[in-house]
Amino acid sequence: MSEVEALLAELRELPGIRPAAPDELDALLRRIKSAAGRWADVLYEVQESAQPFATPRTAAALEVAFRRAEESYVELEIALNDARRHA
């Protein structure tokens, strides 16, 4: 199974998207933060491996996609830390 397929399988197995308690929110945020980190890693690898073949526009789009995935990971880390402080 490829990294992307494994990530998709993990996302499909997420519990209900609407947590009913602080501990459920914590668990959900931990899992989606982990998935976001893995997605950023996948995009980075694609970006790096595509460099010899990518047009400038493709390379720029891959860079933006990676940066957004990385930002998503950071925002989820902030959300998780804040949720833990207020639990």
Side-chain angles (χ1 to χ4, degrees), residues 24-69:
E24 290 179 13
L25 176 60
D26 183 78
L28 179 61
L29 288 173
R30 277 187 288 113
R31 289 184 71 184
I32 61 174
K33 183 187 82 137
S34 173
R38 289 175 59 198
W39 180 239
D41 291 344
V42 166
L43 289 173
Y44 180 79
E45 289 297 320
V46 170
Q47 175 190 2
E48 288 295 308
S49 65
Q51 279 185 340
F53 317 109
T55 65
R57 188 174 180 175
T58 299
L62 288 170
E63 173 71 20
V64 169
F66 165 69
R67 286 184 184 176
R68 287 181 178 165

Side-chain angles (χ1 to χ4, degrees), residues 4-27:
V4 173
E5 290 169 335
L7 180 56
L8 289 172
E10 181 179 337
L11 290 172
R12 285 185 195 105
E13 293 173 4
L14 284 175
I17 298 300
R18 296 177 185 253
D23 62 323
E24 290 179 13
L25 176 60
D26 183 78

